[in-house]
Every structure is written in C-alpha cells, then in structure tokens.
Amino acid sequence: MLNKHFAVSVAMISMLFSTAACSNQSAIDTNADLEKYQEAKNPLNDSFVTNDKPAFTTKAVATFNEPWAMTALPTINNESPKLLVTQKTGELFIVNIKTGAKTAVAGIPKVAYGGQGGLGDIILAPDFATSKNIYLSYVEAGTGVDSNKFGAQVIKAKLAGLDTGQLSLREITPIWQQTPKMKGQGHYSHRLLLSPDEQYLYISSGERQEKTPAQDMSGNLGKIIRLNLDGSLPKDNPFADTNNDIAAQFWSIGHRNVLGMVFDEKGQLWAHEMGPRGGDEFNLIKKGKNYGWPIVSNGRNYSGVDIPDHDTRPEFEAPKMTWTPVISPSSISIYKAGTHNDFPAWQGNALISSLSSKALIVVNFDNDNATTERYRYDMGKRIRSVLNVDGQVWILEDGNDAQLLRLQP
C-alpha cells in the first residue's frame, strides 16, 4: 500500500511540472487527468471542484475551419439570431444560428496566416445599430526593414450589405498595431473588449514568445492596451504623463499571452493568460499594475528551469487563480440571463473555454474577488471560443471541421 501511494504521489508531482500551456495543435492533452483534478484542491484558493453541476447536451449548428472568435449581431424584428465568426485563415462569416446558413463577408484585409496568427477577434462598435461599424483584429506581415516579421493590427470598418446580403467591409480605419513587429508567429493575443460604459477599447497584446518585451516600456508587447474608440489615447491612462506615446497606451503590463478579457457584474476587468510550463493565470486587472511576466510565474520555463513564484516578489500583482496542469484558456464570457435563462446556476459566473484540457470551465467570483472553479465539463475537443448570448451559450471547437455548438440544458 505504501508503494502504491508513493507511486501515485510521484506521478502527480511529475504531472504538475510536465504540461505546457500552448495554443498549437500539439499542446499536451490534460483531459486524461480530469478525474484526478476534480478530486484535488485548487492550489491557490483551497476550494474543491464539485461534481454537482447542471447538465447539458450540445446541438451542432454549423462547421468552420480554424475558427477563432465570434460575436452576436443585434436581433431585429424577431429575425433569427446571427453570429459573426472569424476564421484564422482570413474569412469572416455571418451564420444564421437557426438554419446554420453561412454568408461570407468580402473585403477582409490580407492576413498573415501561420502559427497562432491570422484573422482574430471581432466585436461590434457601441453605435453598431446606426453605424454598422465593427472592430477587427488580425496579424499582418511587415515590409522593408520589418520583412519576415509580424504583428497584430486592429481596424474599425463598416459592415455593409446587411440589407442586401452582399456583405463587405468598407471604410476601413486603422486603430492600433503591435510595436515592434517580431519574428515568429506566436502569442499575438489581440483580444478586443469594450468598457462597460462603451467609451473605451481594450486590446490584449501578447509578448510574442520573447518574454522580456512584457517589461519593456518602449514597446506595447506583453501589455493590456486601453484606447478611446477612435484609437486616440485617454488622458487618464496610468502612463499618460510619461512623455512616451507607446507607454501612454498601457492599462497594465507584465503579461504573457492574454486570450480572454471580460468585465464582471461589478464592472471589474478580468483576464486569463497562458502560463509557460504550468501556471495558467486568472487575473483581476487593475490600472497601472505589473503582473510580473517573465520575472515571476507559477509555472516553469519549457526547459524545466524554475521561475520564481509570485509570492517571492510582492511588488507584482499575483493571480487570483492558477492552473497546473494547464488548461490553455482561449476565451471568456460572463453568463447573464436574458430572454433565455438556460443555466440559472451559472448566473454571474465566468465561462472559460480551454484548448489543452478540452473543457468548458465555470468559475465563480465571491464578494472579496476570490475565485473558485465550480464546474469543469469534458467537451472531448479543444474549445476555441465561448459566448453567452441573451442567456444561451454557444461554443466553437478548434481546428478544422470545428463545430459551432449550442449548449442545451
């Protein structure tokens, strides 16, 4: 019996330091460890994952190749709801979620597809009902001295042809770009989010797998960006008075690869990011704070070399939750009942899609901003995106032949 317990302990310790947080197709699958994880304590908040959870089935609506993000169009005159869905390869579709019919949007800028790069996030402008404007992120290739280098770009554009069915992007206006462009095709992040008052645009900017840019105030890599809706700089940004136009963009610094941002019901900004070898993070984002990458992390380098944990450097903001083994979090949505209330038990909870763990994860916030993983659902596939729409939940699988699924209680 002693030898058996010793073997299990060794196996679990080995598991903690062997799983890498990657968003590529070769990422290690931690789904096999799900049963063990559900029986273990969260290493940060000492809470248990429970098995008493709402059940659902899934209904496939449409299929995509390498989808990345989705957002809902406003429903008008009881028409069938529609989603905008991006594909990394450079396509944008409107999908009728009642019939599954897909319509391509023309006029998409040329994207640099490869690795983790391509067409990225999409959100509606606050005045979409009248302007038909959207915000779109994608990766572009450099030219001249930046040849063979890449960086994310954010644009605003008009989604024309909604009344005719001849859909296209027009009046494209550049809003923001990653500086500097880098070689390699990883950790772009380029997630988009509007503030609750719809006055500001937040953009996550990954450190491009180069680590040190996250602490470099002369470049906007490894940061969360806050801009006015036209791309100009808010005067109350934390570094606005530094005489540095790049730093004046920053809301927070010291990030690795932020693929999910959301405001909770109290108007607080949360973001999850992929750790290296272990240590995926869920952070409460505060104005002007430094989250420590690559100086601290609750994970290890891919080489196996340790990185000091957050508790060794209290000057850096520590995550509210970490995951080891990693889950590779890919997107986030807050559940809020609307016309529908499919999952009342999830009200106000964060829904997090994950890649390597092939799971949908439900996280609870308490009044003191402590977080608890309430439920973990084994989806059997890498999940690229999750979206709550009017009390219904939609998820996108990752990769080729990826299904758009509705969760049905």
Side-chain angles (χ1 to χ4, degrees):
M1 185 65 70
L2 179 61
N3 290 339
K4 180 180 179 181
H5 287 168
F6 178 75
V8 171
S9 298
V10 170
M12 292 185 72
I13 291 170
S14 175
M15 177 180 67
L16 288 175
F17 296 109
S18 64
T19 308
C22 299
S23 60
N24 56 40
Q25 293 290 342
S26 62
I28 296 172
D29 176 16
T30 64
N31 199 53
D33 301 316
L34 181 56
E35 184 176 346
K36 292 180 182 178
Y37 181 88
Q38 287 175 329
E39 297 172 354
K41 291 183 178 181
N42 182 290
L44 211 73
N45 60 30
D46 203 35
S47 299
F48 284 93
V49 177
T50 65
N51 291 318
D52 182 18
K53 56 186 179 182
F56 57 77
T57 59
T58 61
K59 178 183 179 181
V61 174
T63 303
F64 298 88
N65 286 321
E66 296 190 74
W68 206 87
M70 57 181 165
T71 194
L73 288 171
T75 301
I76 302 174
N77 299 327
N78 296 318
E79 295 177 351
S80 296
K82 296 180 176 65
L83 298 180
L84 287 165
V85 178
T86 64
Q87 292 186 160
K88 276 177 57 181
T89 44
E91 296 81 29
L92 173 62
F93 293 97
I94 289 182
V95 56
N96 184 316
I97 56 181
K98 182 176 181 180
T99 66
K102 298 187 299 185
T103 304
V105 178
I108 307 301
K110 182 179 180 180
V111 308
Y113 166 71
Q116 296 173 17
L119 192 59
D121 207 2
I122 183 167
I123 60 173
L124 306 184
D127 62 352
F128 178 84
T130 55
S131 72
K132 300 300 183 287
N133 285 333
I134 63 170
Y135 292 94
L136 189 67
S137 69
Y138 63 96
V139 173
E140 63 175 2
T143 59
V145 295
D146 285 332
S147 181
N148 297 318
K149 296 182 180 180
F150 307 91
Q153 172 96 357
V154 177
I155 60 171
K156 183 170 73 172
K158 182 183 292 293
L159 180 58
L162 285 169
D163 53 343
T164 66
Q166 301 298 313
L167 299 165
S168 64
L169 292 189
R170 299 181 182 175
E171 301 177 24
I172 293 175
T173 303
I175 294 293
W176 176 87
Q177 65 178 0
Q178 281 183 327
T179 303
K181 286 183 168 60
M182 307 289 284
K183 293 182 178 179
Q185 293 177 296
H187 291 193
Y188 297 100
S189 297
H190 60 38
R191 184 66 70 186
L192 307 176
L193 180 68
L194 292 177
S195 59
D197 63 6
E198 299 185 329
Q199 297 299 305
Y200 303 102
L201 174 67
Y202 289 80
I203 306 167
S204 67
S205 179
E207 40 76 279
R208 301 299 321 285
Q209 296 177 307
E210 295 292 335
K211 296 183 179 179
T212 54
Q215 297 294 329
D216 183 356
M217 300 298 282
S218 68
N220 60 21
L221 308 180
K223 317 297 193 302
I224 290 178
I225 306 300
R226 178 178 180 255
L227 304 174
N228 294 316
L229 298 182
D230 61 359
S232 61
L233 300 175
K235 294 181 179 179
D236 61 342
N237 271 4
F239 307 103
D241 58 355
T242 60
N243 296 319
N244 180 340
D245 287 344
I246 294 293
Q249 304 172 8
F250 307 162
W251 188 250
S252 60
I253 68 175
H255 298 287
R256 187 172 184 266
N257 190 23
V258 174
L259 291 180
M261 297 189 296
V262 73
F263 284 94
D264 66 15
E265 291 184 321
K266 295 186 289 187
Q268 299 177 124
L269 178 59
W270 293 82
H272 59 59
E273 62 183 275
M274 292 189 176
R277 197 169 175 179
D280 287 349
E281 298 180 8
F282 194 33
N283 289 302
L284 177 59
I285 303 300
K286 300 177 182 178
K287 178 179 180 178
K289 295 297 184 179
N290 189 332
Y291 289 79
W293 178 256
I295 300 168
V296 292
S297 170
N298 286 17
R300 290 172 173 251
N301 288 298
Y302 289 116
S303 64
V305 175
D306 193 22
I307 304 171
D309 288 350
H310 280 82
D311 59 11
T312 67
R313 297 289 297 270
E315 68 269 32
F316 298 122
E317 285 292 306
K320 295 297 184 180
M321 177 183 287
T322 65
W323 287 275
T324 300
V326 298
I327 61 170
S328 306
S330 54
S331 72
I332 187 170
S333 187
I334 296 289
Y335 187 82
K336 183 178 181 180
T339 304
H340 307 274
N341 189 14
D342 286 352
F343 301 99
W346 296 354
Q347 181 65 32
N349 289 179
L351 310 180
I352 298 176
S353 60
S354 66
L355 296 167
S356 61
S357 65
K358 300 181 179 179
L360 174 67
I361 294 170
V362 181
V363 173
N364 180 65
F365 310 96
D366 72 11
N367 291 332
D368 296 321
N369 293 322
T371 57
T372 305
E373 181 178 319
R374 294 185 66 196
Y375 312 118
R376 183 179 292 207
Y377 294 90
D378 175 8
M379 302 304 298
K381 298 284 185 68
R382 291 162 55 89
I383 305 302
R384 173 54 67 178
S385 185
V386 60
L387 181 67
N388 174 65
V389 183
D390 199 25
Q392 296 180 326
V393 178
W394 300 85
I395 63 173
L396 272 172
E397 296 173 344
D398 188 45
N400 292 320
D401 299 317
Q403 296 184 102
L404 171 64
L405 303 170
R406 181 191 165 189
L407 305 190
Q408 301 185 129

mmCIF file of all heavy atoms in Angstrom, residues 156-194:
data_model
loop_
_atom_site.group_PDB
_atom_site.id
_atom_site.type_symbol
_atom_site.label_atom_id
_atom_site.label_comp_id
_atom_site.label_asym_id
_atom_site.label_seq_id
_atom_site.Cartn_x
_atom_site.Cartn_y
_atom_site.Cartn_z
ATOM 1 N N LYS A 156 -11.106 49.500 -37.507
ATOM 2 C CA LYS A 156 -12.544 49.714 -37.458
ATOM 3 C C LYS A 156 -13.038 49.729 -38.891
ATOM 4 O O LYS A 156 -12.375 50.263 -39.790
ATOM 5 C CB LYS A 156 -12.882 51.039 -36.762
ATOM 6 C CG LYS A 156 -14.379 51.275 -36.621
ATOM 7 C CD LYS A 156 -14.682 52.469 -35.705
ATOM 8 C CE LYS A 156 -14.367 53.776 -36.362
ATOM 9 N NZ LYS A 156 -14.832 54.943 -35.556
ATOM 10 N N ALA A 157 -14.189 49.117 -39.148
ATOM 11 C CA ALA A 157 -14.714 49.058 -40.506
ATOM 12 C C ALA A 157 -16.229 49.003 -40.474
ATOM 13 O O ALA A 157 -16.839 48.603 -39.476
ATOM 14 C CB ALA A 157 -14.154 47.845 -41.246
ATOM 15 N N LYS A 158 -16.837 49.385 -41.575
ATOM 16 C CA LYS A 158 -18.294 49.327 -41.717
ATOM 17 C C LYS A 158 -18.675 47.988 -42.329
ATOM 18 O O LYS A 158 -18.127 47.577 -43.367
ATOM 19 C CB LYS A 158 -18.797 50.467 -42.591
ATOM 20 C CG LYS A 158 -20.324 50.497 -42.731
ATOM 21 C CD LYS A 158 -20.756 51.618 -43.667
ATOM 22 C CE LYS A 158 -20.493 52.975 -43.073
ATOM 23 N NZ LYS A 158 -21.330 53.255 -41.877
ATOM 24 N N LEU A 159 -19.624 47.293 -41.703
ATOM 25 C CA LEU A 159 -20.150 46.038 -42.240
ATOM 26 C C LEU A 159 -21.321 46.384 -43.144
ATOM 27 O O LEU A 159 -22.458 46.568 -42.680
ATOM 28 C CB LEU A 159 -20.575 45.105 -41.105
ATOM 29 C CG LEU A 159 -21.148 43.746 -41.492
ATOM 30 C CD1 LEU A 159 -20.151 42.951 -42.331
ATOM 31 C CD2 LEU A 159 -21.543 42.961 -40.250
ATOM 32 N N ALA A 160 -21.032 46.487 -44.431
ATOM 33 C CA ALA A 160 -22.037 46.930 -45.400
ATOM 34 C C ALA A 160 -22.782 45.736 -45.996
ATOM 35 O O ALA A 160 -22.271 44.622 -46.038
ATOM 36 C CB ALA A 160 -21.362 47.731 -46.516
ATOM 37 N N GLY A 161 -23.996 45.990 -46.474
ATOM 38 C CA GLY A 161 -24.758 44.980 -47.198
ATOM 39 C C GLY A 161 -25.638 44.095 -46.351
ATOM 40 O O GLY A 161 -26.156 43.085 -46.843
ATOM 41 N N LEU A 162 -25.859 44.455 -45.099
ATOM 42 C CA LEU A 162 -26.715 43.629 -44.250
ATOM 43 C C LEU A 162 -28.148 43.569 -44.776
ATOM 44 O O LEU A 162 -28.854 42.572 -44.560
ATOM 45 C CB LEU A 162 -26.712 44.167 -42.818
ATOM 46 C CG LEU A 162 -25.442 43.894 -42.001
ATOM 47 C CD1 LEU A 162 -25.458 44.706 -40.714
ATOM 48 C CD2 LEU A 162 -25.327 42.405 -41.685
ATOM 49 N N ASP A 163 -28.566 44.602 -45.476
ATOM 50 C CA ASP A 163 -29.931 44.631 -46.006
ATOM 51 C C ASP A 163 -30.045 43.975 -47.373
ATOM 52 O O ASP A 163 -31.153 43.644 -47.815
ATOM 53 C CB ASP A 163 -30.432 46.075 -46.085
ATOM 54 C CG ASP A 163 -29.487 46.982 -46.849
ATOM 55 O OD1 ASP A 163 -28.315 46.598 -47.052
ATOM 56 O OD2 ASP A 163 -29.904 48.101 -47.233
ATOM 57 N N THR A 164 -28.923 43.759 -48.046
ATOM 58 C CA THR A 164 -28.951 43.183 -49.398
ATOM 59 C C THR A 164 -28.394 41.767 -49.460
ATOM 60 O O THR A 164 -28.629 41.051 -50.438
ATOM 61 C CB THR A 164 -28.140 44.050 -50.366
ATOM 62 O OG1 THR A 164 -26.746 44.017 -49.989
ATOM 63 C CG2 THR A 164 -28.636 45.498 -50.341
ATOM 64 N N GLY A 165 -27.635 41.382 -48.443
ATOM 65 C CA GLY A 165 -26.995 40.074 -48.480
ATOM 66 C C GLY A 165 -25.653 40.073 -49.179
ATOM 67 O O GLY A 165 -24.951 39.068 -49.176
ATOM 68 N N GLN A 166 -25.266 41.211 -49.796
ATOM 69 C CA GLN A 166 -23.953 41.354 -50.435
ATOM 70 C C GLN A 166 -23.008 41.988 -49.415
ATOM 71 O O GLN A 166 -22.766 43.185 -49.418
ATOM 72 C CB GLN A 166 -24.060 42.211 -51.697
ATOM 73 C CG GLN A 166 -25.017 41.663 -52.736
ATOM 74 C CD GLN A 166 -24.579 40.300 -53.249
ATOM 75 O OE1 GLN A 166 -23.412 40.087 -53.587
ATOM 76 N NE2 GLN A 166 -25.518 39.365 -53.311
ATOM 77 N N LEU A 167 -22.473 41.172 -48.543
ATOM 78 C CA LEU A 167 -21.762 41.661 -47.369
ATOM 79 C C LEU A 167 -20.304 41.993 -47.681
ATOM 80 O O LEU A 167 -19.605 41.233 -48.367
ATOM 81 C CB LEU A 167 -21.811 40.607 -46.270
ATOM 82 C CG LEU A 167 -23.219 40.236 -45.795
ATOM 83 C CD1 LEU A 167 -23.192 38.960 -44.991
ATOM 84 C CD2 LEU A 167 -23.812 41.374 -44.978
ATOM 85 N N SER A 168 -19.836 43.121 -47.143
ATOM 86 C CA SER A 168 -18.444 43.505 -47.329
ATOM 87 C C SER A 168 -18.030 44.481 -46.241
ATOM 88 O O SER A 168 -18.873 45.139 -45.620
ATOM 89 C CB SER A 168 -18.222 44.145 -48.705
ATOM 90 O OG SER A 168 -18.948 45.363 -48.816
ATOM 91 N N LEU A 169 -16.716 44.564 -46.015
ATOM 92 C CA LEU A 169 -16.156 45.569 -45.124
ATOM 93 C C LEU A 169 -15.769 46.789 -45.940
ATOM 94 O O LEU A 169 -15.085 46.674 -46.958
ATOM 95 C CB LEU A 169 -14.931 45.024 -44.381
ATOM 96 C CG LEU A 169 -15.149 43.930 -43.350
ATOM 97 C CD1 LEU A 169 -13.857 43.686 -42.578
ATOM 98 C CD2 LEU A 169 -16.271 44.271 -42.393
ATOM 99 N N ARG A 170 -16.165 47.952 -45.468
ATOM 100 C CA ARG A 170 -15.840 49.204 -46.147
ATOM 101 C C ARG A 170 -15.383 50.228 -45.112
ATOM 102 O O ARG A 170 -15.540 50.038 -43.920
ATOM 103 C CB ARG A 170 -17.059 49.735 -46.915
ATOM 104 C CG ARG A 170 -17.552 48.784 -48.006
ATOM 105 C CD ARG A 170 -18.744 49.353 -48.743
ATOM 106 N NE ARG A 170 -19.248 48.432 -49.743
ATOM 107 C CZ ARG A 170 -20.348 48.631 -50.471
ATOM 108 N NH1 ARG A 170 -21.056 49.761 -50.294
ATOM 109 N NH2 ARG A 170 -20.752 47.749 -51.364
ATOM 110 N N GLU A 171 -14.811 51.320 -45.605
ATOM 111 C CA GLU A 171 -14.363 52.433 -44.758
ATOM 112 C C GLU A 171 -13.452 51.921 -43.641
ATOM 113 O O GLU A 171 -13.643 52.236 -42.460
ATOM 114 C CB GLU A 171 -15.573 53.190 -44.185
ATOM 115 C CG GLU A 171 -16.494 53.754 -45.256
ATOM 116 C CD GLU A 171 -17.720 54.434 -44.667
ATOM 117 O OE1 GLU A 171 -17.666 54.869 -43.495
ATOM 118 O OE2 GLU A 171 -18.743 54.523 -45.379
ATOM 119 N N ILE A 172 -12.467 51.149 -44.029
ATOM 120 C CA ILE A 172 -11.542 50.565 -43.058
ATOM 121 C C ILE A 172 -10.607 51.636 -42.508
ATOM 122 O O ILE A 172 -9.984 52.388 -43.256
ATOM 123 C CB ILE A 172 -10.732 49.425 -43.706
ATOM 124 C CG1 ILE A 172 -11.672 48.257 -44.049
ATOM 125 C CG2 ILE A 172 -9.602 48.959 -42.797
ATOM 126 C CD1 ILE A 172 -11.010 47.128 -44.809
ATOM 127 N N THR A 173 -10.543 51.711 -41.172
ATOM 128 C CA THR A 173 -9.722 52.704 -40.490
ATOM 129 C C THR A 173 -8.780 52.005 -39.520
ATOM 130 O O THR A 173 -9.244 51.292 -38.625
ATOM 131 C CB THR A 173 -10.595 53.696 -39.710
ATOM 132 O OG1 THR A 173 -11.523 54.323 -40.600
ATOM 133 C CG2 THR A 173 -9.748 54.743 -39.018
ATOM 134 N N PRO A 174 -7.456 52.198 -39.658
ATOM 135 C CA PRO A 174 -6.528 51.608 -38.678
ATOM 136 C C PRO A 174 -6.736 52.235 -37.303
ATOM 137 O O PRO A 174 -6.915 53.448 -37.174
ATOM 138 C CB PRO A 174 -5.142 51.954 -39.235
ATOM 139 C CG PRO A 174 -5.368 52.269 -40.687
ATOM 140 C CD PRO A 174 -6.737 52.874 -40.757
ATOM 141 N N ILE A 175 -6.705 51.406 -36.267
ATOM 142 C CA ILE A 175 -6.892 51.857 -34.896
ATOM 143 C C ILE A 175 -5.629 51.689 -34.070
ATOM 144 O O ILE A 175 -5.249 52.553 -33.280
ATOM 145 C CB ILE A 175 -8.061 51.094 -34.231
ATOM 146 C CG1 ILE A 175 -9.386 51.439 -34.910
ATOM 147 C CG2 ILE A 175 -8.135 51.378 -32.725
ATOM 148 C CD1 ILE A 175 -9.822 52.874 -34.704
ATOM 149 N N TRP A 176 -4.923 50.545 -34.245
ATOM 150 C CA TRP A 176 -3.783 50.224 -33.371
ATOM 151 C C TRP A 176 -2.962 49.122 -34.026
ATOM 152 O O TRP A 176 -3.480 48.318 -34.812
ATOM 153 C CB TRP A 176 -4.300 49.754 -32.004
ATOM 154 C CG TRP A 176 -3.246 49.302 -31.046
ATOM 155 C CD1 TRP A 176 -2.532 50.075 -30.184
ATOM 156 C CD2 TRP A 176 -2.793 47.954 -30.836
ATOM 157 N NE1 TRP A 176 -1.654 49.297 -29.453
ATOM 158 C CE2 TRP A 176 -1.810 47.989 -29.833
ATOM 159 C CE3 TRP A 176 -3.134 46.722 -31.403
ATOM 160 C CZ2 TRP A 176 -1.147 46.839 -29.394
ATOM 161 C CZ3 TRP A 176 -2.485 45.577 -30.970
ATOM 162 C CH2 TRP A 176 -1.503 45.652 -29.969
ATOM 163 N N GLN A 177 -1.650 49.093 -33.679
ATOM 164 C CA GLN A 177 -0.813 47.979 -34.125
ATOM 165 C C GLN A 177 0.247 47.661 -33.085
ATOM 166 O O GLN A 177 0.638 48.513 -32.281
ATOM 167 C CB GLN A 177 -0.144 48.303 -35.466
ATOM 168 C CG GLN A 177 0.847 49.448 -35.432
ATOM 169 C CD GLN A 177 1.508 49.672 -36.785
ATOM 170 O OE1 GLN A 177 1.236 48.973 -37.750
ATOM 171 N NE2 GLN A 177 2.385 50.656 -36.835
ATOM 172 N N GLN A 178 0.674 46.387 -33.090
ATOM 173 C CA GLN A 178 1.744 45.966 -32.193
ATOM 174 C C GLN A 178 3.071 46.569 -32.634
ATOM 175 O O GLN A 178 3.388 46.606 -33.817
ATOM 176 C CB GLN A 178 1.852 44.439 -32.169
ATOM 177 C CG GLN A 178 0.811 43.781 -31.292
ATOM 178 C CD GLN A 178 0.970 42.271 -31.214
ATOM 179 O OE1 GLN A 178 1.383 41.626 -32.164
ATOM 180 N NE2 GLN A 178 0.615 41.701 -30.064
ATOM 181 N N THR A 179 3.829 47.022 -31.642
ATOM 182 C CA THR A 179 5.126 47.643 -31.876
ATOM 183 C C THR A 179 6.135 47.126 -30.857
ATOM 184 O O THR A 179 5.881 47.223 -29.648
ATOM 185 C CB THR A 179 5.029 49.177 -31.741
ATOM 186 O OG1 THR A 179 4.036 49.661 -32.657
ATOM 187 C CG2 THR A 179 6.352 49.842 -32.027
ATOM 188 N N PRO A 180 7.264 46.573 -31.299
ATOM 189 C CA PRO A 180 7.671 46.368 -32.681
ATOM 190 C C PRO A 180 7.134 45.052 -33.234
ATOM 191 O O PRO A 180 6.682 44.187 -32.482
ATOM 192 C CB PRO A 180 9.198 46.308 -32.563
ATOM 193 C CG PRO A 180 9.420 45.659 -31.221
ATOM 194 C CD PRO A 180 8.328 46.191 -30.335
ATOM 195 N N LYS A 181 7.200 44.916 -34.574
ATOM 196 C CA LYS A 181 6.933 43.620 -35.171
ATOM 197 C C LYS A 181 8.091 42.682 -34.835
ATOM 198 O O LYS A 181 9.223 43.113 -34.678
ATOM 199 C CB LYS A 181 6.758 43.742 -36.684
ATOM 200 C CG LYS A 181 5.418 44.379 -37.093
ATOM 201 C CD LYS A 181 5.263 44.416 -38.594
ATOM 202 C CE LYS A 181 3.840 44.766 -38.993
ATOM 203 N NZ LYS A 181 3.395 46.058 -38.508
ATOM 204 N N MET A 182 7.768 41.374 -34.747
ATOM 205 C CA MET A 182 8.754 40.389 -34.317
ATOM 206 C C MET A 182 8.742 39.189 -35.255
ATOM 207 O O MET A 182 7.743 38.912 -35.926
ATOM 208 C CB MET A 182 8.444 39.904 -32.889
ATOM 209 C CG MET A 182 8.271 41.008 -31.858
ATOM 210 S SD MET A 182 9.802 41.848 -31.415
ATOM 211 C CE MET A 182 10.549 40.620 -30.348
ATOM 212 N N LYS A 183 9.851 38.456 -35.273
ATOM 213 C CA LYS A 183 9.870 37.180 -35.972
ATOM 214 C C LYS A 183 9.086 36.164 -35.158
ATOM 215 O O LYS A 183 8.806 36.359 -33.990
ATOM 216 C CB LYS A 183 11.307 36.707 -36.175
ATOM 217 C CG LYS A 183 12.107 37.587 -37.121
ATOM 218 C CD LYS A 183 13.512 37.040 -37.330
ATOM 219 C CE LYS A 183 14.280 37.897 -38.317
ATOM 220 N NZ LYS A 183 15.675 37.400 -38.531
ATOM 221 N N GLY A 184 8.753 35.048 -35.799
ATOM 222 C CA GLY A 184 7.941 34.051 -35.117
ATOM 223 C C GLY A 184 6.472 34.377 -35.252
ATOM 224 O O GLY A 184 6.085 35.496 -35.620
ATOM 225 N N GLN A 185 5.621 33.398 -34.955
ATOM 226 C CA GLN A 185 4.183 33.557 -35.182
ATOM 227 C C GLN A 185 3.364 33.079 -33.988
ATOM 228 O O GLN A 185 2.372 32.374 -34.144
ATOM 229 C CB GLN A 185 3.773 32.817 -36.463
ATOM 230 C CG GLN A 185 4.372 33.442 -37.718
ATOM 231 C CD GLN A 185 4.020 32.659 -38.969
ATOM 232 O OE1 GLN A 185 4.411 31.513 -39.128
ATOM 233 N NE2 GLN A 185 3.265 33.287 -39.857
ATOM 234 N N GLY A 186 3.783 33.500 -32.801
ATOM 235 C CA GLY A 186 3.072 33.100 -31.606
ATOM 236 C C GLY A 186 2.769 34.263 -30.682
ATOM 237 O O GLY A 186 3.356 35.343 -30.785
ATOM 238 N N HIS A 187 1.824 34.052 -29.766
ATOM 239 C CA HIS A 187 1.490 34.975 -28.675
ATOM 240 C C HIS A 187 1.147 36.380 -29.164
ATOM 241 O O HIS A 187 1.671 37.371 -28.676
ATOM 242 C CB HIS A 187 2.630 35.041 -27.664
ATOM 243 C CG HIS A 187 2.813 33.784 -26.878
ATOM 244 N ND1 HIS A 187 3.593 33.720 -25.746
ATOM 245 C CD2 HIS A 187 2.323 32.523 -27.055
ATOM 246 C CE1 HIS A 187 3.586 32.479 -25.279
ATOM 247 N NE2 HIS A 187 2.812 31.734 -26.051
ATOM 248 N N TYR A 188 0.226 36.453 -30.107
ATOM 249 C CA TYR A 188 -0.264 37.766 -30.525
ATOM 250 C C TYR A 188 -1.302 38.298 -29.540
ATOM 251 O O TYR A 188 -1.405 39.493 -29.309
ATOM 252 C CB TYR A 188 -0.912 37.684 -31.906
ATOM 253 C CG TYR A 188 0.036 37.287 -33.012
ATOM 254 C CD1 TYR A 188 0.073 35.980 -33.494
ATOM 255 C CD2 TYR A 188 0.894 38.219 -33.579
ATOM 256 C CE1 TYR A 188 0.940 35.611 -34.515
ATOM 257 C CE2 TYR A 188 1.765 37.869 -34.607
ATOM 258 C CZ TYR A 188 1.779 36.554 -35.069
ATOM 259 O OH TYR A 188 2.639 36.199 -36.077
ATOM 260 N N SER A 189 -2.106 37.396 -29.000
ATOM 261 C CA SER A 189 -3.229 37.730 -28.102
ATOM 262 C C SER A 189 -4.345 38.441 -28.856
ATOM 263 O O SER A 189 -5.399 37.892 -29.102
ATOM 264 C CB SER A 189 -2.775 38.538 -26.894
ATOM 265 O OG SER A 189 -1.887 37.802 -26.087
ATOM 266 N N HIS A 190 -4.207 39.694 -29.180
ATOM 267 C CA HIS A 190 -5.122 40.572 -29.924
ATOM 268 C C HIS A 190 -6.610 40.332 -29.638
ATOM 269 O O HIS A 190 -7.450 40.335 -30.534
ATOM 270 C CB HIS A 190 -4.824 40.614 -31.418
ATOM 271 C CG HIS A 190 -4.889 39.347 -32.209
ATOM 272 N ND1 HIS A 190 -5.831 38.370 -32.003
ATOM 273 C CD2 HIS A 190 -4.132 38.906 -33.260
ATOM 274 C CE1 HIS A 190 -5.655 37.402 -32.873
ATOM 275 N NE2 HIS A 190 -4.628 37.703 -33.643
ATOM 276 N N ARG A 191 -6.943 40.164 -28.352
ATOM 277 C CA ARG A 191 -8.345 40.084 -27.931
ATOM 278 C C ARG A 191 -8.896 41.500 -27.745
ATOM 279 O O ARG A 191 -8.190 42.401 -27.296
ATOM 280 C CB ARG A 191 -8.435 39.297 -26.628
ATOM 281 C CG ARG A 191 -9.839 39.057 -26.129
ATOM 282 C CD ARG A 191 -10.648 38.170 -27.030
ATOM 283 N NE ARG A 191 -10.193 36.787 -27.011
ATOM 284 C CZ ARG A 191 -10.670 35.842 -27.805
ATOM 285 N NH1 ARG A 191 -11.585 36.160 -28.708
ATOM 286 N NH2 ARG A 191 -10.239 34.600 -27.729
ATOM 287 N N LEU A 192 -10.174 41.713 -28.089
ATOM 288 C CA LEU A 192 -10.813 43.026 -28.063
ATOM 289 C C LEU A 192 -11.959 43.034 -27.052
ATOM 290 O O LEU A 192 -12.670 42.045 -26.904
ATOM 291 C CB LEU A 192 -11.375 43.385 -29.440
ATOM 292 C CG LEU A 192 -10.399 43.307 -30.625
ATOM 293 C CD1 LEU A 192 -11.142 43.599 -31.929
ATOM 294 C CD2 LEU A 192 -9.238 44.271 -30.441
ATOM 295 N N LEU A 193 -12.153 44.185 -26.393
ATOM 296 C CA LEU A 193 -13.208 44.309 -25.394
ATOM 297 C C LEU A 193 -13.578 45.778 -25.221
ATOM 298 O O LEU A 193 -12.705 46.634 -25.149
ATOM 299 C CB LEU A 193 -12.729 43.741 -24.051
ATOM 300 C CG LEU A 193 -13.711 43.790 -22.877
ATOM 301 C CD1 LEU A 193 -14.881 42.840 -23.110
ATOM 302 C CD2 LEU A 193 -12.992 43.460 -21.573
ATOM 303 N N LEU A 194 -14.878 46.057 -25.128
ATOM 304 C CA LEU A 194 -15.354 47.396 -24.813
ATOM 305 C C LEU A 194 -15.548 47.540 -23.314
ATOM 306 O O LEU A 194 -15.927 46.592 -22.623
ATOM 307 C CB LEU A 194 -16.685 47.674 -25.516
ATOM 308 C CG LEU A 194 -16.665 47.803 -27.037
ATOM 309 C CD1 LEU A 194 -18.092 47.999 -27.539
ATOM 310 C CD2 LEU A 194 -15.775 48.944 -27.503
#
